[in-house]
Amino acid sequence: MRFLFLVIFAWTYYKAMKILEIQSSIGESKIYVGETLANVANYLPKNKKIAIITDPVIHSLYGKQFPKADLILEIPQGEENKSMQSLDAIFEKLIENEFDRTSFILGIGGGIVCDMSGFIATIFMRGIEFGFVSTTLLSQVDASVGGKNGVNFRGIKNIIGTFSLPKFVICELSILKSLPKTELLSGMGEVVKYGAIYSEEFFKYIENHISDIKNYSLEVFESLVYESVRIKAEVVNNDARESGMRRIFNFGHTFGHAIEKLTHMPHGCAVSVGMVYAAKLSVLKGKMSQSDCDRLIALLNKMEMPVSCEVDPAELLHVMRSDKKREGESVHFVYLDAIGSCVVEKLSYNELATVINDLR
């Protein structure tokens, strides 16, 4: 009887958890959608020093579930702390505690923790292994997967960074129930992006489950996270270093990063506005129908996400010229040609300057 119970329990557990793999030119990674923080010790290397990097809120809420570690370090919340200056104290502690090339870093937190933990791991001792427990919707579908790690510099987002994959990413869905509405919306900005650029079917799923999303349905969250990560893994497997197809993930981000800096909106909310501007530009360029553009805006409105903002056009263009995707006097810009389909083409800053007022 006990054996039968264990079999049923194991079947239920593995049925609930979904595993995705990234196998790319920058390494391999496994993403466990539906796994829990309580089981993270099962994925950590044995007989190696473990450093956990987290933030004060996650530490206070979930610290009792953390695995045993030799060192726990906190990064304060807020984009202003995602900087080179914040790294000094962390490196000092790692060196003081005699961490070496065989050590392991585990990031437990949202996008800032994942970005910084990955960056620290890839430059400490010229690179040590790392993994993530991702605790926000935004980090589960974006920052923790794909192997891009970085910090901001003088307000320019992720301008200093590396490409390196975590050994594993655990996406615990139950933690998402505790997210405030602003954090949920920030994550949904990236989720909608995946549907807009890659899968009309996924976009339609989001349209049909808006009330479930607002009610924090874990079943729907599982579908959102899994499909977002599946799309990202499929693209990263073919273009890990963003030299070609992976550029499609920048849809809405050329405007979005600049809007984020100027308005201090949460990342995904700034991307929401950026997607609207990019879709309108797609219509102006004759690449996308007005009806598809309206459909995107309607979805964002129903999600209660921002679709416009007040920024000075000259300031917006100035910040956009600092975009890390810039090449000379142009930028690789992502246009929609339909919901679920996109194209990347170079766009000159001179042309961009002439249309910014119209887009606003």
Side-chain angles (χ1 to χ4, degrees):
M1 188 69 176
R2 181 172 177 271
F3 174 75
L4 178 61
F5 169 78
L6 289 174
V7 170
I8 293 173
F9 174 80
W11 179 83
T12 303
Y13 173 74
Y14 286 109
K15 181 175 182 292
M17 183 174 67
K18 296 180 179 179
I19 304 172
L20 287 156
E21 293 188 35
I22 294 178
Q23 298 179 341
S24 71
S25 61
I26 60 172
E28 299 181 359
S29 182
K30 286 189 176 181
I31 299 100
Y32 300 89
V33 179
E35 180 58 288
T36 65
L37 173 58
N39 291 326
V40 69
N42 297 332
Y43 302 92
L44 295 174
K46 309 300 181 186
N47 304 316
K48 291 185 179 182
K49 281 195 170 184
I50 306 293
I52 292 175
I53 297 178
T54 187
D55 67 54
V57 175
I58 293 297
H59 196 185
S60 65
L61 290 175
Y62 303 103
K64 291 182 180 179
Q65 298 180 46
F66 284 9
K68 184 179 178 181
D70 301 277
L71 185 63
I72 298 179
L73 301 167
E74 291 184 354
I75 296 172
Q77 291 186 325
E79 280 288 328
E80 68 276 8
N81 296 302
K82 188 178 163 185
S83 66
M84 295 294 289
Q85 290 76 13
S86 299
L87 303 180
D88 288 0
I90 294 174
F91 287 132
E92 186 175 346
K93 287 293 184 181
L94 292 173
I95 293 169
E96 280 179 6
N97 288 271
E98 298 183 346
F99 278 71
D100 57 33
R101 288 181 176 177
T102 68
S103 304
F104 191 93
I105 287 179
L106 175 66
I108 305 178
I112 291 173
V113 167
C114 292
D115 271 348
M116 291 192 67
S117 299
F119 183 68
I120 289 163
T122 51
I123 64 175
F124 182 71
M125 297 282 181
R126 295 200 173 104
I128 64 175
E129 291 186 339
F130 63 101
F132 298 140
V133 179
S134 179
T135 61
T136 67
L137 180 60
L138 178 61
S139 66
Q140 288 184 9
V141 302
D142 185 41
S144 68
V145 294
K148 291 168 70 174
N149 317 285
V151 296
N152 306 334
F153 182 72
R154 295 181 180 174
I156 305 173
K157 196 171 176 70
N158 297 328
I159 197 69
I160 300 173
T162 62
F163 286 100
S164 185
L165 286 167
K167 287 296 177 183
F168 63 82
V169 180
I170 288 175
C171 300
E172 177 160 352
L173 302 172
S174 63
I175 292 179
L176 301 183
K177 295 279 281 187
S178 65
L179 291 180
K181 183 178 178 180
T182 53
E183 283 286 349
L184 174 66
L185 294 182
S186 190
M188 283 306 302
E190 292 289 347
V191 173
V192 171
K193 177 194 75 176
Y194 289 115
I197 63 174
Y198 203 82
S199 171
E200 185 185 9
E201 182 179 356
F202 186 39
F203 192 91
K204 188 180 297 183
Y205 178 87
I206 301 168
E207 289 177 314
N208 292 336
H209 290 84
I210 291 174
S211 61
D212 295 319
I213 294 166
K214 290 182 176 180
N215 290 324
Y216 289 76
S217 164
L218 289 184
E219 182 180 352
V220 172
F221 279 161
E222 180 184 48
S223 297
L224 296 178
V225 173
Y226 178 82
E227 186 63 15
S228 297
V229 176
R230 186 197 67 77
I231 290 170
K232 190 156 194 175
E234 190 170 303
V235 174
V236 172
N237 282 341
N238 293 293
D239 179 25
R241 293 186 177 274
E242 201 174 87
S243 58
M245 186 180 183
R246 187 171 179 170
R247 290 178 177 142
I248 66 174
F249 293 146
N250 292 320
F251 175 62
H253 285 61
T254 300
F255 286 109
H257 282 165
I259 291 167
E260 184 178 357
K261 180 179 179 180
L262 292 173
T263 67
H264 305 292
M265 278 186 189
H267 173 73
C269 295
V271 167
S272 175
V273 179
M275 288 192 291
V276 172
Y277 290 176
K280 287 182 175 181
L281 183 52
S282 300
V283 174
L284 286 174
K285 298 276 281 185
K287 297 180 180 296
M288 181 188 192
S289 69
Q290 185 62 54
S291 60
D292 274 346
C293 181
D294 292 342
R295 184 180 173 190
L296 172 63
I297 295 171
L299 173 58
L300 296 172
N301 275 325
K302 289 176 183 176
M303 282 297 306
E304 300 177 49
M305 300 181 70
V307 296
S308 64
C309 67
E310 288 299 321
V311 289
D312 180 81
E315 288 186 356
L316 183 64
L317 184 64
H318 174 73
V319 176
M320 289 171 69
R321 291 180 69 88
S322 300
D323 195 297
K324 61 181 178 294
K325 300 176 288 298
R326 176 178 177 175
E327 288 188 7
E329 287 303 308
S330 64
V331 63
H332 289 284
F333 195 85
V334 186
Y335 300 95
L336 292 185
D337 46 28
I339 296 296
S341 179
C342 66
V343 62
V344 182
E345 294 180 1
K346 281 191 175 182
L347 175 67
S348 74
Y349 285 103
N350 286 338
E351 186 175 1
L352 197 51
T354 65
V355 298
I356 282 181
N357 277 322
D358 293 335
L359 296 176
R360 293 175 64 248

